[in-house]
Amino acid sequence: MTSRPVVYETTHRIAFSELDPFQHVSTGNYARYFTDHRMEGLAKYAGWDLPTLGTLGFMTWIRRMEIDFIRPVNADQEITITSFVREFRGPDAMIECTMTDAAGTTVATCLMVVAHVDARTRRATDWPAEHAALFFEPED
């Protein structure tokens, strides 16, 4: 039996400064939304806020982001982002992210690969079991 992943959820209202000349969210903001979403989720769900992250003895590094742009996002629109760790592969956490509009329609998806990096050696290391466990619901 596999454990259910903890699903992070955040919302954001699109501001004027985040738009391109066509009144859609500019491309670079999607990466920022997904990254900020994960950081907000780490603080809320795992207790890893910025001050705490500096004391843990490891760092996380976004190794790769693959973003699929499905529908345009417009000014003053509210979006919801959900994400979860799908699996761990050695030093990499494979994180699936979905951005939806207020009607629940998917507007973008992202696969984020986040590496666990030893703070002392600055080298990628496998995710320790106790850290990986924080991303899954406790088994009964």
Side-chain angles (χ1 to χ4, degrees):
M1 175 190 259
T2 59
S3 298
R4 286 188 332 211
V6 174
V7 177
Y8 294 3
E9 182 174 322
T10 60
T11 59
H12 179 79
R13 183 160 301 279
I14 305 305
F16 173 79
S17 62
E18 299 167 324
L19 303 176
D20 65 16
F22 298 102
Q23 303 300 309
H24 302 128
V25 169
S26 59
T27 304
N29 282 315
Y30 286 84
R32 182 175 59 83
Y33 295 153
F34 287 122
T35 301
D36 288 348
H37 157 79
R38 283 304 295 180
M39 292 307 298
E40 186 176 329
L42 284 173
K44 180 177 179 181
Y45 296 98
W48 292 354
D49 58 12
L50 287 176
T52 302
L53 282 172
T55 68
L56 295 176
F58 69 92
M59 301 175 282
T60 58
W61 184 261
I62 298 175
R63 213 186 271 265
R64 184 174 73 238
M65 292 179 82
E66 297 174 12
I67 301 173
D68 290 320
F69 304 96
I70 299 168
R71 295 183 175 277
V73 178
N74 302 304
D76 205 34
Q77 189 172 354
E78 184 173 272
I79 57 168
T80 299
I81 300 174
T82 57
S83 68
F84 63 93
V85 176
R86 180 179 68 203
E87 66 179 302
F88 290 94
R89 292 184 195 161
D92 294 333
M94 314 301 283
I95 301 168
E96 290 188 24
C97 306
T98 303
M99 181 185 295
T100 59
D101 63 16
T105 303
T106 300
V107 296
T109 60
C110 173
L111 173 63
M112 184 183 298
V113 180
V114 178
H116 180 277
V117 178
D118 182 277
R120 188 179 52 76
T121 65
R122 309 239 178 204
R123 296 195 180 273
T125 58
D126 289 356
W127 280 85
E130 66 271 14
H131 294 157
L134 294 172
F135 298 98
F136 295 92
E137 298 288 344
E139 293 185 20
D140 296 329

